[in-house]
Amino acid sequence: MTERFTGSFTQQEPIPDEGIDAAIAVMRGGRLHRYNTVPGEVAETVLLEQEFAASVGSAYCLAVASGGYAIGTALRACGVKPGDKVLTNAFTLAPVPGAVAGVGAVPVFVGVTEDLVIDLDDLAAKLDQASVLLLSHMRGHLCDMDALMAMCDAADVAVVEDCAHTMGAAWNGKPSGTFGRFGCFSTQTYKHINSGEGGLLISDDAEGMARATMLSGSYMLYTSHAAGPPPEAFAQLRYETPNISGRMDNLRAAILRPQLRDLATQASRWNARYAVVEDGLRDVPGLTLVPRTASESYVASSFQFLLLDWSPEAIADVQARCAARGVELKWFGGAEPVGFTSRYDSWRYAPAEAMPASDRILTGIMDMRLPLTFSEDDCALIARIIRAEVSAVWQAAA
Ligand SMILES: *Cc1c(COP(=O)(O)O)cnc(C)c1O
């Protein structure tokens, strides 16, 4: 009998009851706007900011409308101007170069290695082209952050971390998002905590965070930002910084607070599922697993493997055969952008030099989500299906 998987790769878990109750309380009060409080009340948004800052050990946190908005705000707060170049990953998702384009700047793409992290040699070669690196920890893979920060600090390049896939992750015990000048997180449905849309920005830099707070649309109400910088930091900036409205509301914050408390538990559930898939795909001829180092503590909400140096036809065949058995693999190597998947040369608004070494990797990257609605048995079944179909196509080509 041919096994088939029938689960949904896009079905998330429900919002925890505690979050639903907190959301209902906010709605009953009618005070959904973060600055709409009664005397003595601390807005849910402020509580979320305090709790998130404490969870990663950052001085400041600002809740905003989306992860992409957090990135754009961080770039602006770093002083990126129209026409400036910003270094960023060739392997990432469209909102990352989009955030660069959103401030009128021009992305300079840096290559990807077989470990699916930014290529530090390529970065070294391009470091003199920009004063900001927007570093995307794409699919939760962390590069050697000590080496990267040493290079960027020496070149006086500010680092903005895109942590859309690394909320809860760390490098040598230091939380992702606390290495660069800013760390940007998303609370969109497909990330690690779910408020539909939403973003969080962290920093230890009082001036940068004051700028970000004004940019996000604080008006002159910044003193209510208990997880923000002190009022002195706003003394001049409040006159000079435009309001580019993009706040988070209390309803989303209320939904997120209980999920943040559960993040470590959820991370271990994700990693248990990842380990089952990883074990099921060991020693498949032609299939390369992505190594993880002991320095990296990850939250594996998705799984990647490589079909390195396979022909596009053979990869498309694997994808079709897995799909026929209910396993949806995303392919970053496809010539046309599909769904959430696109590549640096699909973003035609941005100049892209040919990157043959990265093209070789991108062509082979297969990707799938591992939602927590999958059981570990589901994950074992998914691995058996991929194993069988990759092996069948590999043997036919041999
Ligand atoms: C989702 C995502 C973003 C943007 O987050 P939104 O909240 O959807 O704006 C940025 N970078 C990466 C890698 C993402 O996956």
Side-chain angles (χ1 to χ4, degrees):
M1 195 196 79
T2 308
E3 291 184 299
R4 239 191 93 81
F5 179 64
T6 54
S8 162
F9 281 81
T10 53
Q11 182 59 54
Q12 304 298 81
E13 293 191 297
I15 301 300
D17 285 342
E18 231 189 313
I20 294 173
D21 293 344
I24 289 172
V26 170
M27 288 190 284
R28 287 202 199 290
R31 294 185 299 282
L32 277 68
H33 194 288
R34 66 172 297 156
Y35 301 127
N36 184 197
T37 52
V38 293
E41 183 181 26
V42 180
E44 288 282 341
T45 315
V46 173
L47 294 169
L48 172 67
E49 289 166 341
Q50 291 176 316
E51 289 160 6
F52 191 70
S55 77
V56 291
S58 72
Y60 310 117
C61 176
L62 175 71
V64 295
S66 75
Y69 183 90
I71 297 171
T73 303
L75 295 177
R76 279 199 175 86
C78 285
V80 176
K81 300 267 170 334
D84 287 356
K85 288 181 175 172
V86 172
L87 294 157
T88 195
N89 305 59
F91 173 48
T92 187
L93 291 179
V96 177
V100 175
V103 298
V106 182
V108 175
F109 296 112
V110 183
V112 60
T113 72
E114 278 186 45
D115 298 350
L116 301 192
V117 296
I118 194 165
D119 181 343
L120 295 184
D121 294 331
D122 194 31
L123 178 63
K126 294 173 176 166
L127 215 43
D128 61 354
Q129 293 188 35
S131 57
V132 175
L133 165 67
L134 169 53
L135 174 66
S136 185
H137 303 301
M138 178 61 174
R139 288 298 187 246
H141 298 277
L142 291 169
C143 71
D144 181 337
M145 287 303 296
D146 302 317
L148 178 130
M149 290 310 301
M151 284 167 63
C152 291
D153 288 345
D156 209 12
V157 168
V159 177
V160 172
E161 296 181 68
D162 164 22
C163 305
H165 304 161
T166 54
M167 185 184 283
W171 177 262
N172 284 333
K174 184 170 162 62
S176 176
T178 61
F179 288 85
R181 184 158 175 203
F182 288 99
C184 308
F185 298 81
S186 169
T187 65
Q188 188 237 73
T189 295
Y190 300 111
K191 311 301 163 80
H192 296 173
I193 56 177
N194 173 11
S195 59
E197 302 285 357
L200 293 162
L201 187 59
I202 56 167
S203 183
D204 288 342
D205 172 353
E207 188 202 312
M209 209 53 168
R211 230 181 263 283
T213 305
M214 292 301 298
L215 285 165
S216 77
S218 66
Y219 301 92
M220 297 300 148
L221 303 169
Y222 49 79
T223 53
S224 70
H225 283 250
E232 309 85 85
F234 294 84
Q236 270 306 311
L237 291 177
R238 63 187 185 149
Y239 301 111
E240 296 161 3
T241 313
N243 173 332
I244 305 181
S245 198
R247 296 170 300 273
M248 185 185 279
D249 58 273
N250 290 329
L251 191 53
R252 285 184 171 80
I255 292 171
L256 290 171
R257 292 180 59 216
Q259 295 182 62
L260 182 59
R261 290 195 281 277
D262 278 349
L263 182 59
T265 309
Q266 300 294 75
S268 61
R269 295 176 63 217
W270 260 307
N271 291 351
R273 285 157 179 74
Y274 183 91
V276 170
V277 178
E278 191 178 39
D279 285 341
L281 292 181
R282 280 191 209 286
D283 306 317
V284 181
L287 184 153
T288 308
L289 291 173
V290 181
R292 315 289 311 231
T293 75
S295 296
E296 189 189 14
S297 35
Y298 51 84
V299 180
S301 51
S302 67
F303 193 94
Q304 291 74 42
F305 62 88
L306 293 165
L307 299 178
L308 264 185
D309 303 323
W310 285 47
S311 72
E313 296 73 24
I315 293 176
D317 197 18
V318 167
Q319 195 183 23
R321 295 171 69 124
C322 288
R325 296 179 65 182
V327 175
E328 280 174 48
L329 295 175
K330 307 292 180 202
W331 180 30
F332 277 85
E336 277 297 311
V338 178
F340 289 112
T341 313
S342 57
R343 35 181 293 156
Y344 70 93
D345 47 2
S346 7
W347 307 318
R348 292 186 198 166
Y349 55 84
E353 280 176 43
M355 306 179 78
S358 291
D359 289 344
R360 172 173 173 258
I361 312 291
L362 286 168
T363 301
I365 299 177
M366 309 306 289
D367 173 58
M368 64 181 169
R369 285 202 189 94
L370 291 178
L372 291 173
T373 50
F374 289 0
S375 66
E376 292 181 36
D377 286 345
D378 290 338
C379 293
L381 169 59
I382 289 167
R384 283 197 300 276
I385 292 173
I386 296 173
R387 186 180 191 94
E389 298 306 333
V390 167
S391 302
V393 177
W394 178 260
Q395 277 159 20

